[in-house]
Amino acid sequence: MSDRQKRTRLSPEERKRQLLDAAVELFAECGIGEAKHADIAKRTGVSVATTFVYFPTREELIDAVLDDVAEKNLAVFDEVDPTGLTPAELLTALAEHATSRLDEDRAYAQVWLNWSTNFAPHIREKFLECQNIVLDKLTAILDAATPGRQKGKGARDDARILLAASQMLTVMKLDGISKERRARFTEHTIDVVLAYTGEK
């Protein structure tokens, strides 16, 4: 059976997933929006016209990739069970899970990091929307650490510290920094943030 015959047997959902996976990889390699429909077609072995069926414009392609990356990153919070964990243990588990996924989801992490420093208006707006969801989740963890503290007071800034640290932790993993050094970085960051809340 030829490759072309195999390709035609993909369902529309499978084909879109194939094209989206290729787009994420290309955005990781080239930068957000730098890869074109023709690049995705070449990577997947389909016609350029096929890519336009699923992503009619460059803007829709970019939005689809960023939405996929956002969903992948936010899933970390659902994949770690907080039951019975202290705030420090939960934050550590989130950090460990997020970095362990980089072995399979390296391209997603690279696009996220690139996205975080892209200030094109529409792209920035989408990033801030996703970032606010992450900050809400981290703030809720920190609020739970100190039930007596006025809700949200100071926790949002602490959440920003944790988010910045998580991005540095991602860079450390991508750069090949040892697991031991990453663990020390994680422990130190969490200790510093929770010291202000009085909770570990």
Side-chain angles (χ1 to χ4, degrees):
M1 182 180 294
S2 71
D3 288 342
R4 178 171 288 281
Q5 287 174 317
K6 289 178 184 176
R7 289 197 303 269
T8 58
R9 295 194 175 189
L10 290 180
S11 70
E13 294 78 15
E14 291 170 330
R15 176 71 72 206
K16 185 172 185 179
R17 183 70 259 169
Q18 177 198 38
L19 297 173
L20 195 51
D21 287 344
V24 171
E25 290 175 0
L26 286 162
F27 278 29
E29 295 167 15
C30 307
I32 292 175
E34 294 302 314
K36 307 296 189 289
H37 286 70
D39 301 313
I40 296 167
K42 183 177 180 181
R43 177 67 59 95
T44 56
V46 303
S47 69
V48 175
T50 297
T51 66
F52 277 98
V53 168
Y54 293 92
F55 308 107
T57 66
R58 179 175 177 273
E59 289 71 24
E60 287 179 78
L61 171 62
I62 292 172
D63 281 351
V65 170
L66 297 183
D67 288 343
D68 195 42
V69 169
E71 182 179 343
K72 179 76 74 171
N73 277 281
L74 292 172
V76 171
F77 290 95
D78 297 323
E79 293 166 355
V80 174
D81 183 3
T83 306
L85 299 180
T86 66
E89 291 169 341
L90 175 54
L91 292 171
T92 300
L94 288 168
E96 289 175 351
H97 183 62
T99 52
S100 69
R101 292 192 341 169
L102 291 179
D103 295 326
E104 295 180 2
D105 298 330
R106 183 182 186 92
Y108 282 88
Q110 289 172 309
V111 174
W112 172 268
L113 291 170
N114 186 282
W115 189 13
S116 72
T117 58
N118 190 309
F119 288 85
H122 177 66
I123 292 174
R124 188 65 184 169
E125 180 182 352
K126 286 184 72 67
F127 178 76
L128 292 176
E129 289 173 3
C130 182
Q131 178 179 260
N132 280 332
I133 296 172
V134 174
L135 290 173
D136 286 345
K137 291 179 179 295
L138 291 173
T139 299
I141 292 171
L142 293 172
D143 278 336
T146 53
R149 180 171 64 177
Q150 183 180 344
K151 190 172 178 63
K153 186 175 183 181
R156 191 74 169 186
D157 290 336
D158 293 339
R160 287 185 182 279
I161 294 171
L162 291 173
L163 179 56
S166 74
Q167 293 185 204
M168 177 52 66
L169 191 62
T170 299
V171 171
M172 291 171 71
K173 174 71 181 274
L174 293 173
D175 284 342
I177 302 299
S178 71
K179 183 176 181 179
E180 292 74 23
R181 287 179 62 191
R182 296 196 315 267
R184 285 198 300 272
F185 176 85
T186 300
E187 182 180 7
H188 178 70
T189 302
I190 292 172
D191 282 349
V192 168
V193 169
L194 293 183
Y196 287 104
T197 69
E199 175 74 34
K200 289 188 182 181

